């Protein structure tokens, strides 16, 4: 049987492997720093849990395999400049933006994009890292070492943030999970909730946007699209050519989760619409030590990544899924007492978004 190799051995690789196990498939996440000689067979398949990587002994072996799915898409989406150019070319709405060049001035940013402008590094940003706010009233200047390496975006006064996770197969068929509502604090995802009846009217619009992209890129596997919702409009914030944190709830709340769907797609196995069960909540564990008392709450599903705990680092997540909102509400109250700041804000937000 062929092996599905995953470039990267973080939590996403581990969860891809976990999801493939019941299907009897071999999944091998590979640490990018490994200097092992990988026993790649010609009919093996290669995928990735991250959108960019340095050239190492491990990544070189994987990236030269003929069955690396979406290999050419990664560099195009990993660079925010070319990602935005793709979105523009396809007429998909984003925040107004332009590239920061060697001769760009902060005055030009303010006069074109307004008094609050977000600079984003073209490469390597995640969890709000690689962002820099320009504020006209504080006369903030573009840092010299960002020139040529960043894009500028207008600050969007969005109503809320939603994301769409979809999967596309080798024959072009695609399926989507219901829109997920997300809360970011300081640029990092803290909590998600899905599905919400009140977002249903945006579902087909979001699906059309992500379909257009996946088709244009001839993409195979799971892709996530993060959006800002302004009234009934969606602006695309960013794309992730991989399984995504805002899709983690599908482990509890869907008959086929995003990880299994990605594996099915890259392996060329049949896809089908996932049955979505009840209402799901996801709470990211960020910079907090593991506390197995969390497990004393009915309905809690804990994923602990076994990473060392550092402030701002994603070290696990908690999923819950139930058709009983009173139960979810109770579980959140219990969690509230077991988590530090700023979880009170995240839990309050989740409770406020529970349907009546
Ligand atoms: P990820 O970890 O999802 O890859 P990231 O750090 O790469 O995130 P973005 O998703 O671009 O970067 O931004 C993180 C968060 O910052 C967004 O979810 C949103 O809350 C806020 N943000 C980003 N762009 C804007 C904008 N133009 N206006 C207002 N807020 C923004
Ligand atoms: Mg993001």
């Amino acid at each position: 049987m062929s092996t599905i190799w995953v470039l990267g051995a973080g939590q996403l690789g581990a969860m891809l492997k976990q999801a493939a196990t019941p299907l009897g498939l071999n999944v091998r996440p590979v640490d990018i720093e490994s200097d092992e000689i990988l026993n790649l067979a010609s009919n093996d398949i290669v995928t990735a849990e991250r959108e960019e990587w340095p050239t190492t002994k491990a990544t070189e072996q994987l990236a030269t395999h003929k069955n690396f799915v979406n290999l050419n898409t990664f560099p195009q989406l990993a660079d925010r400049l070319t990602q935005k150019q793709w979105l523009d070319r396809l007429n998909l709405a984003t925040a107004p933006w332009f590239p920061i060049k060697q001769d760009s001035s902060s005055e030009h940013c303010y006069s074109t994009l307004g008094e609050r402008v977000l600079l984003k590094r073209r490469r390597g940003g995640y969890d709000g890292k690689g962002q820099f706010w320009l504020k006209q009233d504080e006369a903030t200047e573009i840092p010299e070492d960002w020139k040529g390496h960043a894009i500028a975006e207008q600050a969007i006064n969005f109503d809320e943030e939603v994301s769409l996770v979809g999967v596309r197969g080798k024959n072009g068929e695609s399926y989507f999970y219901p829109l997920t509502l997300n809360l970011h604090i300081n640029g990092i995802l803290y909590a998600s909730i899905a599905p919400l009846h009140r977002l249903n009217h945006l579902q087909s619009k979001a699906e059309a946007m992500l379909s257009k992209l996946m088709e244009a890129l001839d993409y195979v596997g799971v892709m996530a699209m993060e959006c800002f919702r302004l009234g009934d409009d969606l602006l695309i914030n960013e794309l992730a050519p991989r399984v995504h944190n805002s899709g983690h709830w599908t482990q509890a709340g869907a008959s086929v989760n995003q990880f299994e769907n990605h594996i099915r797609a890259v392996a060329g196995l049949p896809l089908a619409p996932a049955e979505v069960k009840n209402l799901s909540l996801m709470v990211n564990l960020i910079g907090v030590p593991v506390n197995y008392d969390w497990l004393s709450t009915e309905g809690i599903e804990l994923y602990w990544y076994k990473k060392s705990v550092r402030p701002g680092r994603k070290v696990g997540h908690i999923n819950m899924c139930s058709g009983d909102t009173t139960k979810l509400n109770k579980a959140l109250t219990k969690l509230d007492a077991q988590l530090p700041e700023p979880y009170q804000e995240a839990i309050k937000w989740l409770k406020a978004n529970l349907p009546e």
Side-chain angles (χ1 to χ4, degrees):
M1 193 211 286
S2 64
T3 297
I4 301 165
W5 300 82
V6 182
L7 188 154
Q11 66 264 21
L12 300 178
M15 292 188 281
L16 285 164
K17 181 177 167 70
Q18 183 203 16
T21 303
L23 303 185
L25 304 175
N26 299 326
V27 170
R28 271 270 330 254
V30 180
D31 188 325
I32 57 171
E33 298 304 339
S34 160
D35 47 20
E36 196 187 328
I37 305 295
L38 305 172
N39 194 11
L40 286 153
S42 66
N43 62 339
D44 283 354
I45 293 158
V46 183
T47 183
E49 60 145 31
R50 50 193 293 152
E51 48 262 58
E52 63 180 343
W53 50 84
T55 303
T56 63
K57 221 170 180 176
T59 63
E60 217 159 23
Q61 292 178 71
L62 295 170
T64 49
H65 193 279
K66 68 174 176 26
N67 294 338
F68 196 142
V69 184
N70 307 317
L71 182 63
N72 300 326
T73 299
F74 288 104
Q76 299 183 61
L77 298 189
D79 181 339
R80 284 189 192 274
L81 175 66
T82 47
Q83 182 181 127
K84 282 276 201 288
Q85 287 167 339
W86 261 106
L87 294 169
D88 284 359
R89 231 178 356 250
L90 294 172
N91 261 319
L92 293 167
T94 65
W97 71 280
F98 54 75
I100 293 291
K101 301 188 177 138
Q102 283 306 333
D103 59 353
S104 295
S105 69
S106 47
E107 293 70 40
H108 178 66
C109 291
Y110 298 129
S111 64
T112 315
L113 299 173
E115 59 191 17
R116 285 173 65 243
V117 176
L118 185 54
L119 303 187
K120 295 182 179 178
R121 303 278 309 181
R122 284 173 56 179
R123 302 181 158 280
Y126 67 98
D127 294 348
K129 296 176 181 75
Q131 293 193 353
F132 185 90
W133 278 101
L134 290 183
K135 293 178 186 161
Q136 192 165 25
D137 60 2
E138 295 173 17
T140 325
E141 293 286 343
I142 304 170
E144 278 309 312
D145 59 343
W146 285 54
K147 293 183 175 171
H149 303 286
I151 60 159
E153 267 183 40
Q154 185 172 80
I156 301 298
N157 208 353
F158 49 78
D159 293 311
E160 53 194 10
E161 294 189 77
V162 299
S163 60
L164 186 71
V165 175
V167 62
R168 183 169 181 272
K170 289 188 168 152
N171 58 4
E173 62 179 324
S174 48
Y175 300 100
F176 301 88
Y177 293 103
L179 279 165
T180 303
L181 182 68
N182 300 313
L183 173 72
H184 293 83
I185 304 175
N186 299 326
I188 180 162
L189 181 68
Y190 266 78
S192 299
I193 176 168
L196 288 178
H197 185 74
R198 67 177 179 81
L199 296 176
N200 283 357
H201 69 294
L202 297 171
Q203 185 74 24
S204 58
K205 184 186 289 192
E207 289 185 7
M209 293 162 85
L210 185 51
S211 290
K212 200 172 183 183
L213 257 156
M214 292 199 296
E215 258 156 56
L217 295 163
D218 196 18
Y219 186 81
V220 172
V222 165
M223 187 183 286
M225 175 178 83
E226 296 182 41
C227 296
F228 301 131
R229 181 182 74 75
L230 290 100
D232 286 339
D233 290 326
L234 295 176
L235 293 185
I236 300 180
N237 171 34
E238 63 165 352
L239 302 165
R242 55 172 168 78
V243 286
H244 192 256
N245 197 169
S246 71
H248 287 4
W249 65 266
T250 62
Q251 293 170 312
S255 59
V256 180
N257 68 43
Q258 63 163 349
F259 301 97
E260 180 179 333
N261 256 327
H262 184 73
I263 292 293
R264 286 198 203 185
V266 299
L269 294 173
L271 301 176
E275 175 125 15
V276 175
K277 312 162 188 174
N278 299 321
L279 181 68
S280 293
L281 310 180
M282 192 277 315
V283 177
N284 259 344
L285 298 166
I286 298 159
V288 292
V290 68
N291 175 359
Y292 288 109
D293 288 342
W294 293 326
L295 299 179
S296 64
T297 301
E298 183 182 357
I300 274 190
E301 299 176 21
L302 171 66
Y303 289 78
W304 185 254
Y305 309 154
K306 275 179 119 175
K307 301 201 294 199
S308 56
V309 179
R310 286 200 294 271
R313 189 177 201 203
K314 286 179 188 166
V315 286
H317 69 275
I318 285 173
N319 284 333
M320 290 179 241
C321 175
S322 174
D324 182 341
T325 38
T326 314
K327 230 182 219 175
L328 290 171
N329 203 71
K330 259 195 184 154
L332 287 172
T333 302
K334 222 173 138 185
L335 261 186
D336 195 24
Q338 292 170 325
L339 288 166
E341 285 289 329
Y343 280 94
Q344 285 56 49
E345 179 185 344
I347 285 170
K348 198 169 140 198
W349 177 87
L350 281 170
K351 285 187 171 188
N353 280 294
L354 288 176
E356 294 288 299

